[in-house]
């Protein structure tokens, strides 16, 4: 069919395919990616039905399907049964969350970096450890899954959360992101789908893109997945797993109710759903003992990740993973392939801090500091912040209609403050919420935090005039 016959046909995308080189599906995927990144196709744009696009370009339907699949696996497209294919809401949003320390004039409140002064106990413990007579062994290869002593430290760590497991279920990883990537690469296949909140941790988005896995937003009420939403995603989207952050959900700061935790455990057991539970901030919650992880209700179906980066020290690059036995070999193999072994120095420091009780002291200090900072934030940005506990290290700033998250991010940067718009966290094709995430723990002092919050307040006040 001639392209000219579509000259006046209403289609949202009419790529120039006249000079395309073989293989055609790769050429089409490249054109689609370029037009998205150039802004020719804006986030939320509904693409033409695949059959119509194939007719327009006079190519096989399978060629269009393969091109769409490639772009979907890169996170550029989002589709759902009966609703068509859209440019993802976050297709043009920034993907890298780095600290702005290279620009001393910029107050960093985007990335979440615990203040360095609290690392003094970690430094002192490490110095003592390296003075030991057997310190040389810490610079050799470590056992890939961790020694029994290190895995026992993981048992203690999970026990502090109200979740009782055993060392046979524990594997060590080089931090939470490393653990998360290994789970996706080891237990899922390219083309699989995983359900998430409609705004979620960007790390899962980056790992999913790398693994060719599509993230699907699950229907929610009051920032929590519903049973109906999960069942719908299982039936209609064929999701293989779900990713959840029950405590201080990133980026909203929401804490999942006990009822929803139990519901997710029950639904996962009933449907054989792999639950990836990110418990990175669990111990910052002062009520952690009364809200155990979802893994406590379905230990043989939930993979629970517990990194020390936000609670003890980011530089330790240590995470404990509770792994159901049926997933143990797949995850262990993925971690071995990625890491060969973990850092013996860092894991020994992490385990020693836990066993000695010093990790508890560090967590208490972090909670106290975060609470002080949140009191400042609540005072300056009163009426704009989503409700959260005082020990949440970041806040979800709800914006007036005059701003999108991306627009506010740009305005804040012009005022010398780094924040991250909702577009960076959004999953699927729905318009991003008018919000930004701000870190209250990253500014090195309370005075700098106050200055940064004050600048954000001025932007909001100007908008409301």
């Amino acid at each position: 069919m001639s392209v000219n016959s579509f000259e006046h046909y209403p289609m949202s995308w009419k790529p120039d395919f006249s000079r395309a080189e073989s293989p055609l599906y790769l050429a089409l995927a490249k054109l689609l990616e370029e037009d998205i990144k150039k802004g020719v196709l804006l986030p939320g744009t509904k693409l033409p039905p695949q059959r119509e696009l194939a007719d327009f370009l006079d190519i096989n339907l399978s060629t269009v399907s393969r091109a769409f699949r490639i772009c979907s696996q890169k996170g550029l497209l989002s589709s759902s049964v009966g609703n068509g294919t859209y440019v993802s809401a976050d297709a043009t949003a920034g993907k890298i969350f780095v600290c702005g320390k290279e620009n001393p004039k910029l107050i960093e409140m985007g990335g979440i970096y615990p203040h360095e002064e609290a690392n003094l106990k970690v430094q002192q413990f490490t110095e003592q450890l390296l003075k030991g007579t057997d310190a040389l062994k810490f610079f050799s290869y470590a056992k890939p899954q961790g020694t029994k002593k290190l895995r026992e430290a993981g048992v203690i760590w999970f026990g502090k959360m109200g979740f009782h497991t055993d060392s046979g279920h524990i594997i060590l990883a080089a931090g939470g992101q490393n653990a998360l990537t290994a789970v996706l690469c080891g237990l899922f296949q390219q083309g699989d789908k995983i359900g998430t909140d409609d705004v979620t941790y960007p790390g899962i988005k980056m790992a999913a893109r790398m693994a060719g896995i599509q993230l699907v937003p699950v229907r929610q009420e009051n920032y929590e997945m519903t049973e109906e939403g999960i069942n719908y995603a299982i039936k209609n989207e064929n999701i293989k797993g779900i990713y959840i952050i029950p405590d201080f959900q990133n980026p909203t700061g929401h804490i999942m109710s006990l009822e929803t935790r139990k519901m997710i455990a029950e639904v996962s057991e009933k449907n054989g759903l792999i639950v990836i539970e990110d418990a990175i901030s669990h111990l910052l919650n002062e009520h952690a003992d009364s809200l155990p992880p979802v893994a406590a209700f379905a230990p043989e179906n939930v993979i629970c990740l517990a990194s020390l980066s936000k609670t003890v020290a980011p530089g330790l690059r240590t995470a404990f993973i509770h792994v159901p036995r049926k997933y143990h070999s797949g995850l262990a193999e993925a971690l071995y392939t990625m890491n060969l072994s973990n850092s013996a120095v860092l894991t020994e420091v992490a385990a020693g801090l836990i066993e000695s009780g010093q990790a508890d002291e560090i967590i208490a200090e972090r909670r106290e500091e975060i609470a002080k900072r949140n009191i400042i934030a609540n005072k300056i940005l009163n009426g704009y912040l989503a409700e959260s506990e005082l020990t949440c290290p970041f806040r979800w700033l709800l914006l007036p209609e005059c701003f999108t998250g991306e627009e506010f991010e740009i305005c804040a940067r012009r005022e010398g403050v780094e924040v991250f718009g909702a577009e960076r966290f959004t999953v699927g094709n729905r318009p991003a919420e008018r919000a930004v995430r701000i870190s209250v723990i990253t500014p090195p002092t309370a005075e700098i935090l106050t200055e940064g919050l004050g600048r954000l307040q001025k932007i909001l006040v100007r908008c409301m005039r």
Side-chain angles (χ1 to χ4, degrees):
M1 183 176 291
S2 171
V3 172
N4 291 331
S5 64
F6 284 82
E7 183 177 353
H8 302 294
Y9 193 77
M11 294 177 66
S12 59
W13 187 47
K14 294 183 178 182
D16 181 3
F17 209 53
S18 59
R19 299 181 181 179
E21 299 180 357
S22 296
L24 294 181
Y25 75 95
L26 289 178
L28 185 60
K30 182 180 179 181
L31 278 173
L32 181 52
E33 182 173 356
E34 287 177 350
D35 280 355
I36 291 173
K37 291 183 175 180
K38 290 177 181 177
V40 175
L41 291 171
L42 298 176
T45 300
K46 186 174 183 179
L47 293 179
Q50 293 183 25
R51 189 173 298 279
E52 290 192 14
L53 185 59
D55 288 344
F56 170 73
L57 297 173
D58 198 17
I59 57 178
N60 291 331
L61 174 61
S62 61
T63 300
V64 177
S65 298
R66 293 178 75 180
F68 275 31
R69 189 178 306 117
I70 289 171
C71 289
S72 293
Q73 290 171 350
K74 290 183 177 182
L76 297 171
L77 302 181
S78 177
S79 60
S80 58
V81 177
N83 195 34
T85 302
Y86 294 76
V87 178
S88 296
D90 68 334
T92 57
K95 304 295 190 297
I96 306 299
F97 288 60
V98 295
C99 190
K101 291 181 179 179
E102 72 281 358
N103 183 354
K105 295 182 179 180
L106 188 68
I107 299 177
E108 176 63 48
M109 297 179 69
I112 303 172
Y113 298 85
H115 55 290
E116 295 178 353
E117 287 77 6
N119 294 333
L120 183 58
K121 283 187 172 64
V122 179
Q123 176 187 346
Q124 293 171 341
F125 184 91
T126 304
E127 289 172 348
Q128 287 299 117
L129 184 71
L130 294 179
K131 289 178 181 178
T133 55
D134 58 350
L136 281 178
K137 72 177 183 180
F138 299 140
F139 299 95
S140 298
Y141 285 118
K143 292 188 66 174
Q145 299 178 40
T147 64
K148 191 172 189 300
K149 172 191 172 185
L150 297 175
R151 288 185 278 114
E152 286 291 350
V155 173
I156 296 171
W157 195 245
F158 282 115
K160 296 178 186 297
M161 302 180 187
F163 171 39
H164 303 288
T165 181
D166 59 72
S167 61
H169 281 85
I170 302 296
I171 298 179
L172 273 71
Q177 185 66 29
N178 177 246
L180 183 55
T181 304
V183 170
L184 297 193
C185 293
L187 303 181
F188 294 85
Q189 296 180 347
Q190 190 176 55
D192 282 345
K193 295 182 178 181
I194 295 176
T196 68
D197 295 319
D198 51 12
V199 288
T200 194
Y201 168 54
I204 181 73
K205 297 170 66 176
M206 291 188 291
R209 287 188 182 99
M210 184 178 71
I213 293 170
Q214 183 179 345
L215 300 183
V216 177
V218 176
R219 294 176 186 171
Q220 294 184 316
E221 288 182 8
N222 301 320
Y223 289 117
E224 296 188 7
M225 293 182 184
T226 64
E227 183 173 357
E228 294 78 11
I230 297 174
N231 286 329
Y232 179 90
I234 293 172
K235 180 179 179 181
N236 295 281
E237 299 291 352
N238 196 31
I239 60 170
K240 185 176 178 180
I242 59 173
Y243 170 76
I244 56 173
I245 313 173
D247 301 278
F248 296 146
Q249 195 273 352
N250 188 357
T252 65
H254 179 76
I255 295 177
M256 185 184 291
S257 67
L258 183 62
E259 292 73 22
T260 298
R261 294 171 196 245
K262 291 180 178 179
M263 177 274 290
I264 289 176
E266 183 178 342
V267 171
S268 69
E269 288 185 321
K270 181 179 178 181
N271 294 278
L273 203 63
I274 301 176
V275 178
I276 309 166
E277 180 175 18
D278 194 334
I280 187 171
S281 297
H282 188 105
L283 290 175
L284 290 178
N285 181 7
E286 292 183 302
H287 308 293
D289 53 345
S290 61
L291 285 172
V294 174
F297 306 108
E300 288 304 321
N301 223 59
V302 178
I303 299 167
C304 191
L305 318 178
S307 166
L308 276 66
S309 63
K310 299 299 185 286
T311 49
V312 181
L316 286 178
R317 307 314 307 149
T318 298
F320 300 107
I321 314 174
H322 163 81
V323 189
R325 297 191 190 281
K326 57 187 173 183
Y327 303 132
H328 193 282
S329 61
L331 182 54
E333 182 178 339
L335 282 165
Y336 179 78
T337 302
M338 292 168 61
N339 304 333
L340 190 60
S341 72
N342 296 306
S343 165
V345 175
L346 299 180
T347 52
E348 284 286 342
V349 171
L353 289 169
I354 292 170
E355 292 169 352
S356 68
Q358 291 187 63
D360 295 332
E361 297 174 9
I362 294 170
I363 293 172
E365 291 174 1
R366 291 207 184 279
R367 284 177 178 168
E368 183 179 358
E369 177 65 22
I370 295 170
K372 290 178 180 177
R373 290 169 174 241
N374 268 313
I375 290 172
I376 296 172
N378 288 341
K379 182 178 180 180
I380 296 176
L381 296 177
N382 181 37
Y384 291 105
L385 295 174
E387 186 176 347
S388 187
E389 297 288 334
L390 283 179
T391 53
C392 184
F394 51 86
R395 301 298 295 274
W396 195 227
L397 177 63
L398 304 176
L399 301 171
E401 291 188 1
C402 51
F403 283 116
T404 64
E406 185 177 22
E407 289 168 347
F408 190 87
E409 179 178 328
I410 293 171
C411 289
R413 178 172 270 273
R414 288 173 180 166
E415 294 293 329
V417 183
E418 182 81 281
V419 297
F420 291 146
E423 290 80 1
R424 294 175 178 258
F425 306 90
T426 300
V427 177
N429 53 53
R430 292 179 59 186
E433 187 175 359
R434 295 180 183 275
V436 295
R437 189 193 72 184
I438 60 174
S439 170
V440 298
I441 63 170
T442 301
T445 66
E447 290 73 23
I448 296 176
L449 170 69
T450 301
E451 173 64 24
L453 293 170
R455 295 182 189 181
L456 299 182
Q457 182 197 44
K458 290 178 182 178
I459 299 172
L460 294 167
V461 170
R462 285 200 301 265
C463 173
M464 299 302 290
R465 285 175 182 170

